[in-house]
Amino acid sequence: SEQKDLTILSIREQTVIKVKSMIGAKASMQATTSRKATSSVTKSFAQKGKTAAANTRAKAQLMGSTKSNFVARQGLNMQALASKQTKRNTKLAARAEVGDTLEEFLEKNTDDLKLRQLMLSMGEAVRTIAYKVRTASCSATACINSFGDEQLAVDLLADKILFETLKFSGVCELACSEEVPEPLELGGKGFSVAFDPLDGSSIVDTNFSVGTIFGVWPGGKLTGITGRDQAAAAMGVYGPRTVYCLALKDCPGCHEFLLQDDGKFIHVKETTEIAEGKMFSPGNLRATFDNPEYAKLVNYWIDNQYTLRYTGGMVPDVFQIIVKEKGVFSNVISPTTKAKLRLLFEVAPLALLVEKAGGASSCDGKCVSGLDVEVEQHDQRTQICYGSVGEVKRFEETLYGKSERFAEITENVSA
C-alpha cells in the first residue's frame, strides 16, 4: 500500500511539473508574440515616419524646383530683354559700317525680315543683270542676251529677271514695271514693288552706264500712294563698277554697295549731305526752245561756269549727285515737249535716295518734293529736279517764281 502511495505521489508531481512546463511555454510564446507585435508596430510607425519625412522632402524639393524654374524663367526673360536692348543700342552705335556685307548692313538697320529678304533678293537680281548687260551682243538697233532658251533685248531680259526674283522671294504681293505697267500678283506677302528694269537701255551699245531703279511699298497696292510711303528704294548702276545704291525709310543716309569679285556686295560709302557745287545735268534740253524759264536757268548754269556732266541716262546722272555730294539734275517740259519720266517707276524711288542722302527734289511743277506727289495711275508722267537744297531752291524760283519751302535757305555755290 505504501509503495502504491509513493507511485501515485510521483505521478502527481510529474503531472504538476508538466502543467507548469506547459504554462511556462505558453507564457514564453505569448511574450514572444507580444514582442513581435510590438516590434511590428514600431517598425510600421517608423516606416510611416520615414514616408512622411520623404514626402516632406519631396514637397520641399518640388517647391524648390518650381521656384528655381520660375527664377530661371524670369532670368531668361530679363536676359532676352537685355539682349534686345543691347542689340538696339548696337544698331544705334554701328548702324552702317563701311566694310559690312549687304546682309550684315540689313541685319543692323532693319528688324523687318521680309524687307531684308526683298532687298537681298533684288541685290541678287542686280548682280545677274550686270552680267547680262556686260555680256550682251549689240548691233545698231538692239543689244540682246539669252534668258533660258530665249534671245531678248537686254531691257526685256532685265524685266523678266526682276519679276522672277520678286516672285521667288516670297515677300512680294504686287509688282509692275515700265515694260509691264499693270501690276501682277506674285503670290507673296509683305510688299509691292515698282521698277524700271533698265533705265538708259538705248545707250547700252555706247557702253555708257545704265541702271535699274525700284521702289518698295508696304502692303498690296501701287496707286493712292506717295513716294513718302516707301519702305525702301534702290538703284543698280551698271558701269565700270557695279553698284547697288539703296535707302531705307527708317535708316539715315543713302548707302553704296560695291560688287566684289567673289559676288558679294560690300558697303563702301554712306552719304548724308549734298553740298552746293557747280555741276549740272540738264535733261530734255529741247524744252528750252519754248520754255523761256528753263532756258534762263540753263544759261545761268553756263554763265556761272558750272561743269556739265550729262550722259542721257537718268541713273548715272542722278547717282553722280550722291557720289560727288553736289550738283543738280533737271528734266522739265514745255508746250511742245511732253513729260517722259514716270512717277512710280523712276521719280519717287530716286527722290527717296536723293533726299536720304541730304539733297532735295521738286516735282510736277508744284514746288513740292517728289515724295509728296500722289500716284494716281501706274504710268503717270511728271517733271523733276534733284540736287542740293540751294540748287532746288534756284530751280523753283527761276521756273515758278517762288520757293516757299526753302525761303530760309541761302545758296552758297563756290565750287
Side-chain angles (χ1 to χ4, degrees):
S1 176
E2 187 177 354
Q3 182 66 34
K4 186 176 178 181
D5 289 341
L6 289 170
T7 302
I8 292 171
L9 181 61
S10 176
I11 291 171
R12 285 178 179 172
E13 288 177 348
Q14 290 176 5
T15 302
V16 170
I17 291 169
K18 284 181 180 180
V19 169
K20 286 182 177 180
S21 176
M22 289 174 67
I23 290 171
K26 186 175 181 181
S28 177
M29 288 177 65
Q30 287 176 345
T32 301
T33 302
S34 177
R35 284 195 301 272
K36 286 182 178 180
T38 302
S39 175
S40 177
V41 170
T42 303
K43 286 181 179 178
S44 176
F45 277 111
Q47 186 63 35
K48 286 181 179 178
K50 288 180 180 178
T51 303
N55 288 340
T56 301
R57 285 195 300 273
K59 286 180 181 179
Q61 288 174 355
L62 180 62
M63 291 294 290
S65 175
T66 303
K67 186 175 180 181
S68 280
N69 288 339
F70 175 76
V71 171
R73 285 197 301 270
Q74 288 292 95
L76 288 173
N77 289 338
M78 292 300 293
Q79 288 175 2
L81 289 173
S83 177
K84 285 183 179 179
Q85 186 62 42
T86 301
K87 188 176 180 182
R88 193 175 295 115
N89 292 339
T90 301
K91 282 185 178 181
L92 292 173
R95 65 175 179 267
E97 296 179 356
V98 170
D100 281 348
T101 64
L102 176 60
E103 187 173 3
E104 290 169 340
F105 170 86
L106 292 171
E107 285 178 358
K108 289 180 181 179
N109 289 280
T110 178
D111 293 325
D112 192 325
L113 297 180
K114 290 186 175 181
L115 184 58
R116 287 186 203 170
Q117 177 60 50
L118 192 147
M119 299 306 285
L120 285 170
S121 295
M122 292 299 273
E124 292 298 312
V126 166
R127 184 175 64 181
T128 303
I129 294 169
Y131 175 77
K132 294 295 186 180
V133 169
R134 192 169 63 249
T135 58
S137 298
C138 295
S139 65
T141 56
C143 290
I144 61 173
N145 209 326
S146 60
F147 185 83
D149 295 330
E150 296 181 275
Q151 291 291 319
L152 297 175
V154 285
D155 51 348
L156 298 179
L157 185 151
D159 198 61
K160 282 183 172 287
I161 290 171
L162 289 164
F163 272 116
E164 289 205 355
T165 296
L166 290 170
K167 180 179 180 180
F168 287 109
S169 73
V171 296
C172 184
E173 298 185 27
L174 295 178
C176 60
S177 75
E178 190 172 297
E179 305 293 338
V180 186
E182 288 302 314
L184 302 179
E185 294 184 3
L186 298 185
K189 286 293 179 183
F191 297 95
S192 294
V193 179
F195 58 88
D196 182 350
L198 197 63
D199 181 78
S201 57
S202 62
I203 57 174
V204 170
D205 56 349
T206 63
N207 217 21
F208 285 3
S209 293
V210 295
T212 296
I213 307 168
F214 70 90
V216 180
W217 281 265
K221 65 175 186 176
L222 288 169
T223 55
I225 56 174
T226 68
R228 209 167 288 281
D229 298 324
Q230 291 175 100
M235 57 180 161
V237 187
Y238 316 121
R241 304 183 304 151
T242 297
V243 172
Y244 187 31
C245 180
L246 64 84
L248 306 177
K249 181 178 182 178
D250 296 326
C251 171
C254 183
H255 302 272
E256 180 183 339
F257 294 82
L258 181 65
L259 183 63
Q260 306 295 299
D261 289 340
D262 62 2
K264 293 181 180 179
F265 278 105
I266 300 297
H267 189 223
V268 293
K269 188 176 188 295
E270 175 184 8
T271 305
T272 57
E273 182 182 4
I274 304 294
E276 305 303 325
K278 294 184 175 181
M279 183 177 72
F280 74 122
S281 299
N284 196 24
L285 277 175
R286 60 173 62 90
T288 59
F289 175 74
D290 52 353
N291 183 334
E293 289 78 16
Y294 191 34
K296 179 181 178 182
L297 180 61
V298 172
N299 286 332
Y300 173 87
W301 290 330
I302 295 171
D303 292 343
N304 285 271
Q305 299 182 350
Y306 278 54
T307 300
L308 175 65
R309 290 285 183 269
Y310 182 72
T311 68
M314 192 175 183
V315 166
D317 290 339
V318 174
F319 181 57
Q320 70 178 341
I321 296 173
I322 298 171
V323 173
K324 301 290 188 183
E325 300 182 4
K326 65 178 182 179
V328 59
F329 169 89
S330 61
N331 192 303
V332 302
I333 62 172
S334 73
T336 58
T337 59
K338 297 180 180 180
K340 291 184 177 181
L341 303 181
R342 293 162 175 83
L343 177 62
L344 182 62
F345 307 120
E346 301 163 310
V347 172
L350 290 178
L352 183 63
L353 290 169
V354 170
E355 295 195 19
K356 276 290 186 177
S361 63
S362 181
C363 187
D364 218 32
K366 298 176 181 176
C367 295
V368 297
S369 165
L371 297 175
D372 293 324
V373 179
E374 184 176 353
V375 179
E376 298 173 352
Q377 299 176 353
H378 300 116
D379 200 40
Q380 184 174 332
R381 312 291 179 100
T382 190
Q383 51 186 325
I384 189 69
C385 173
Y386 302 114
S388 65
V389 173
E391 289 296 344
V392 173
K393 177 186 179 183
R394 178 180 289 107
F395 171 86
E396 291 185 347
E397 288 178 339
T398 305
L399 269 73
Y400 314 121
K402 62 179 181 179
S403 183
E404 295 175 356
R405 291 186 297 153
F406 305 123
E408 304 299 321
I409 302 297
T410 302
E411 302 95 330
N412 183 23
V413 181
S414 59

